[in-house]
Every structure is written in C-alpha cells, then in structure tokens.
Amino acid sequence: MFTAARNMRIRSTDRARRASSDAGLGPSRTVAMAVVIAMGAVALPAVLETDQSSAVGPPAGCSLSNAFEPSFSADSTRVAFSAIDNQGAPGVRQIFVANLDGTSRAEISSESAGTDPTGSRDPAFSPDGLRIAWDGIDTSRRIWTADPTGTNRVNVSSAANPVDGNNRHPRWSPDSARIIWYGNDGGSNGTQIFVSNADGTSKTKVSTVGPNPDPSDNLRPVFNNDGTRIAWSGVTTSGLTGSIDPVAGTAVTGVGTLFTTELLVGDTIAVSGEERVVASISSDLALTVTVAFTDNGNDTTPERLRREIYVADDDGTNRSVISSLAGALTNNNFPHFNNDGTRIVWSGNTGSAQHIYAANTFKLDPGTPAGMNRVEISSAAAGNDPDENTTPRFSPDGTQVVWIGKSSLGFDNVWVADVDGTPRNDITDTATINPSGNSDPVWSPDGTKIAWSGVNANGVQIWVANTDGSSPFEVSVVDDPALCTPPTTTTTTTTTTTTTTTTTTTTTTTTTTSLPPGKPECPTAAAPFTDVSAGSFARADIDCIYGLGITTGTSPTTYSPADNVTREQMAAFLGRLWRTAGGTCPTAAAPFTDVSAGSFARADIDCIYGLGITTGTSATTYSPADNVTREQMAAFLARVWRAVGGTCSTTSAPFTDVSAGSFARADIDCIYDLGITTGTSPTTYSPADNVTREQMAAFLGRLYRKI
C-alpha cells in the first residue's frame, strides 16, 4: 500500500453538461513507477471561487504549492497567504508571510510552542500590522492570532465557548481590537457570526440578535470602516403560500397562485425536512428541483431558504436585509464595505448569472433606504460581460472594485472597474505571464497593487501586480535558501582487493546519486485531440491523463469531451490511474454477470471491485452502460483517495441539494475539502447530473496530483 500527500487544492466550476454516452476507451498504456510520498494534514475547503484551469505540480526546490488567500500588511510591503509546505511536513497547509519580491519568507503558523494548528488558511493582517489572524485545526478548526513572526500565538475562538468547532474567516475591526468570524455554536441553524476582543474575551454571537426568524448558515462577516456596523451572508427562512406536493420526484406541484412572485430559480425550498434547489419554474403551480424528493406526501408549511446579505450594528441589533430590495437576488455572498461605510458590494444571482452589485448600507434619507441605489457593476461596461462573478472588494479609497469573473474564453480572471462598472479591465489578460484559475483578489492598503491566487506552470501561486495588471510577480515561488534543504542523496562505497604473489592493491570507489523521484509528474505535451479547445478548463488535465496513458481518447484525434462517462469507462479511468500511481490490483474476478469477459474494462472493473472502490449496483451487476452521476463520482474518487492512504475531513460541504442521508454525503464533503470540486454554485453540487468526459479528466488530473 502507498500513502498520499494532500498537496493540491484546485478549484472548479465543473458544471455538468449532458450529452450521449460514447463507445469506449482505447487500450491503456503501461506506466511503471513507485510512490513514496508522506501523508499530509487536513486542509479545509475555501469559499466558492470558480476556476476553468488545472494546476500543475509545484516547481523544483522548496517552492510552495497551492498558495491561496493573500492579505497585505498595513504598510503594503508584505503579504500573508496560505500554502502547502513542500519542505518539512509535505502536504501540510500553513500560513506564510513574505516580502512582495518573495524574500524573507516565514512560516508563522507553526512557530509557537505547544500544539501547532494544521490545515491553516484564510490569513488576515490586522489594520495596525502587528498581528495576523487565521483559522487552523488542533482538535477542531479554530481562530488563531500571532505576531507576524509567529510568536505570541492566541487561540481566540475557544475562549468561553463550550461548543467550539468549524470556526473560519477571521476579519479584524478597523482599530485591530476585535475579530469577527463564523463558526458552529452547537445549535440547529448551522454556522453563526461571532465577535470578540482580539484575545478571545467578551465573545458575542451577533447573528441571532434582532428580528425573528434568525438567519442560518451565516458566512463571511466583515466590519465597516469604523467598526460600528457589520455585514455577512446568511440564509433567511420564510413560509410559502399554499401547500406543496413533491410527488417523490423532481416535479413539484400545488404551490399556490403567488408561487412565481415568491420564488426564483436558484432558491432553496424545504419540504418535509428535505431541502432542494429550484431548477426551473414552468407556471405559478409547478416547478422542478435539481434533486428528486423522496417524500411523496403533502406539506402544508413549506419554506423558502434564500441566501441574503445582512447588515447590522456590531452587536447584531438593527439588522436588515439589503440584497432583496430593488428586485430580489439569490445566492448573495461575499459582502464588503466601502471606505466610508455607506456602500456595500457583493455577489448575487438574478436567476441567470452571478454578478457583482453595490448598494446603500443604511438609510441615507427617506428616499434611499438600505439596499437601494443598486448598481450591477460586473456587466456595466461595453464588450463581453464576465460571468460567474464572485469575491468583490472595494479599493481603499472606495472608487474601484476588484472581483473574479469568467472571461469570454471561460477563464477565471481578475477584473477591475470603477464603482459604476466602467471602465472594466481584465488585469490578468496581459502580455506577460497570463495566469488562469485566478481567485482571492485583494487591494494593498495604499491602493497601488492587487494580490491574488493564480495558476501557471508553477502551479497555484500568489501574484502581486499593479492595479492595471502591469509588473506581475509570483511571490510564493521564490526559494529562500535558509528554508531549503538540498536533495537527498545516497552514497555507495565499493572496495575491490586484488592479490598477486608480489603485491596487494586496494581500490575504493564512491558514487553519489540522487534518490529516485516518486510518481511521474503530469506530462506537458499536448494530446492530439482536435475536439478539445485550447481554452477548455480541462485542457491541461486531458493532456495529463493522455500522457500518462490513462486515456487514449475515442479515436486517435478525438476525446469527445462533452460525452457522458459510463460506468465501464469510469472503471477503466480509475483502474489505470491506480496502476499509474504505483498501485497493485487484486487478481480475483468481480462477481458481475453483466460485464462480458471481452469488455475493454473487465480487468479494471475487477480491480476497483477488489479494492473496495465499487460494490456494483447489486450483488451480481455492475451496470457498465449506465452514465455516472456527480454523486457516484464523488463516491468513486473519495474511495480511491482513502485506498491510497488519504484521510477525509469531517467538515460538511455547503451544498443544500445533497441530503444528509445521501450515500455519498461524506464523499462529497471529502472531495470538496480536497479541492477536487467546489460544486456548481456556492450552495449546490447537482448530485444527479451526469459527469462528462471533460469533467472526468479534470477530476482525475486533480486527484492524480494529490496522490
């Protein structure tokens, strides 16, 4: 058996596309190798960012990999970020601080005495520059602070809290005296918003103060400019008119005549305790949901669950919802105040696309209440509008906004615009080093630079550039010799003695060689498939699995990326990946009578059955021609991960369309935590959708880089 290093957290939209299934895969090519990689610690999932690219492995030396979530120091000269440490404890996510040229790098999350947190992420410099906050795991995920050198570490979230778990996303008040974050409180409403002093004292749960009903599943809180107001994303609950009959399927009927004015596509509805996402609305009496209901009764008190942007005083009082005014939006998330606290920017969905909005944060005069004067920033400029826009941030002077949005080629790029949406500029689409899969954009406090996470040949790294995209620099790839150790070598000494009647000669030869590498890196040569565009989010992954022999395509020049993956093909993919990564397959035949001896995947089906990756669709059937759903795929991938020695976090993914009773619930949580998927929206996974060959390549490429 071999172990796995969790050294990649790649983000994806991996949106399902439906198409007919194809014939089959060609014969696999044999790639022999051995894997010797240390097991890493748990890395918890990030907020939703979209990515249409695939990261590659870390560069040589001791450069970091999978670098995310940059935060500038108060003087704009340093940046903190989370990354996988390839030295010391491979696969462990830690918090690093470095100069903007990458020098003087320090790993601060493991520099204090006592139990060091692992899976550390989401760092935030205090406004005075004297402390850094982050979330990391000891016995559970907690909020920590330390000096920028890693000393004087404090466990903030545990103070006076008997139920302490899943604490995330710490953010400072402007005076650096307090911290706000979200975490579990042991109640039934999911995560809540907490505020405490920087040392953890005077902790208060602020999201349950105010009018009923209390919002649930609260996320990503922030302070305003003077620390008197806060904003966050939470789920509001309201009753629906009439009763709902889910008829144990995707169709829902009998809602009532006011149905279409109360719901939007993308809203979540709760019927008899089962939460489902609205996929379409055909009339005021009927809708469909993304996942079938199992309850076929009639619910007289159905509920609508909708994610909104809340604004309140810093103690939780005077709470109001701003995202539902001036036309309701769904999936509202990522709030951020401007420099004087009068406006707030966030990501919201009209039902057709996710865009960036800005609106008033409180009542300026009788004609402009909170949520009014709303502007849709991400589509206000001429030309191609970016899609799936997320993570907006006001500039320090409040005149501009930066965010992540998809370009015309489908890449997640960094966009900058004035607060009215013009002129819009894609700062990552430049002539110099054009990274893809970009996320987590932030402004420097002096307003002269932007940092973000992006992908190129060095993997996922931290970038810093001028606000127009000029002079980009990869901060996290700079090797500090003081932190690097030379490659491990072996020394072999051979002594030869020759004896004659007159003399004895002894010769000693010493040879030093580097130890052999582990599993092969993904090849960089392009696969010969003419039906895979250069802009495909899975292009690098298709090249990877072709180069490794995991696929040969559907013909010498085609891959058929839009076709659905069948269970027979899936077995072939997984069996070949297993062998390529150094695994050995059991020799016993699986008991499936519906898989012919001549099937191209017969040996692979036997292999994954023997490994426990599948148990079939019954004791004697495998259903090889059936399409693979996203729910099933999660189960397959997570089982492969466990089979190679990996462990899965117990943290739940934020998908409301995956029931607690789903056979793949834990597996979906696992691959979300690993970064193999982030779902099809911030709150949906679309478990019943089929997996395409393009998506399958992305899943396999990301999994391969982790094991």
Side-chain angles (χ1 to χ4, degrees), residues 38-91:
M39 181 63 198
V42 175
L44 271 287
V47 299
L48 177 86
E49 288 93 21
T50 52
D51 177 26
Q52 293 289 358
S53 68
S54 300
V56 298
C62 68
S63 296
L64 306 176
S65 62
N66 292 283
F68 290 101
E69 304 152 336
S71 174
F72 279 101
S73 61
D75 61 4
S76 302
T77 64
R78 307 205 80 200
V79 63
F81 54 92
S82 70
I84 297 293
D85 180 10
N86 295 310
Q87 289 282 116

Side-chain angles (χ1 to χ4, degrees), residues 330-647:
T330 62
N331 292 329
N332 298 286
N333 219 328
F334 309 106
H336 188 252
F337 286 99
N338 70 347
N339 58 324
D340 63 7
T342 60
R343 300 278 284 174
I344 197 166
V345 68
W346 76 95
S347 173
N349 197 308
T350 60
S352 60
Q354 197 82 8
H355 282 292
I356 305 303
Y357 296 87
N360 296 341
T361 58
F362 56 86
K363 190 171 183 178
L364 299 174
D365 58 61
T368 56
M372 296 301 289
N373 289 341
R374 193 167 77 198
V375 174
E376 184 179 315
I377 294 174
S378 53
S379 62
N384 180 67
D385 293 335
D387 192 13
E388 298 185 21
N389 302 280
T390 61
T391 57
R393 299 287 295 265
F394 275 112
S395 61
D397 63 4
T399 63
Q400 292 183 296
V401 176
V402 65
W403 75 94
I404 296 295
K406 278 188 167 43
S407 69
S408 59
L409 295 177
F411 296 130
D412 291 323
N413 288 347
V414 181
W415 301 81
V416 175
D418 291 346
V419 291
D420 63 355
T422 61
R424 194 171 61 219
N425 182 28
D426 178 356
I427 72 167
T428 45
D429 186 14
T430 63
T432 57
I433 318 178
N434 186 5
S436 61
N438 303 288
S439 64
D440 309 326
V442 292
W443 297 85
S444 61
D446 64 8
T448 64
K449 296 186 182 299
I450 293 173
W452 72 94
S453 174
V455 182
N456 76 345
N458 292 326
V460 188
Q461 301 293 347
I462 299 299
W463 296 75
V464 173
N466 296 328
T467 58
D468 62 357
S470 62
S471 302
F473 185 80
E474 288 181 276
V475 175
S476 50
V477 301
V478 177
D479 286 340
D480 186 339
L483 301 176
C484 301
T485 58
T488 305
T489 60
T490 58
T491 301
T492 302
T493 301
T494 303
T495 301
T496 303
T497 301
T498 303
T499 303
T500 67
T501 56
T502 57
T503 60
T504 300
T505 303
T506 300
T507 302
T508 300
T509 302
T510 300
T511 303
T512 301
T513 59
S514 296
L515 289 177
K519 68 180 178 62
E521 294 292 337
C522 280
T524 57
F529 303 135
T530 58
D531 60 348
V532 180
S533 69
S536 165
F537 69 90
R539 177 75 239 196
D541 294 303
I542 293 170
D543 293 343
C544 173
I545 65 173
Y546 174 81
L548 293 170
I550 295 171
T551 185
T552 55
T554 52
S555 82
T557 58
T558 59
Y559 180 73
S560 306
D563 285 358
N564 291 334
V565 176
T566 67
R567 288 172 57 87
E568 188 174 35
Q569 297 162 10
M570 179 277 309
F573 281 134
L574 295 180
R576 295 166 189 173
L577 180 143
W578 179 263
R579 297 183 188 93
T580 300
T584 302
C585 287
T587 57
F592 303 136
T593 57
D594 60 347
V595 180
S596 69
S599 166
F600 69 90
R602 177 75 239 195
D604 297 303
I605 293 171
D606 293 343
C607 176
I608 65 172
Y609 174 80
L611 293 169
I613 294 168
T614 186
T615 56
T617 52
S618 77
T620 58
T621 59
Y622 179 73
S623 306
D626 286 358
N627 290 330
V628 178
T629 66
R630 289 171 57 84
E631 188 173 37
Q632 296 164 2
M633 184 50 59
F636 287 129
L637 297 177
R639 292 169 190 170
V640 170
W641 174 248
R642 296 184 186 100
V644 301
T647 59

Side-chain angles (χ1 to χ4, degrees), residues 680-693:
T680 52
S681 85
T683 57
T684 59
Y685 179 72
S686 306
D689 286 356
N690 293 327
V691 177
T692 67
R693 288 171 56 86

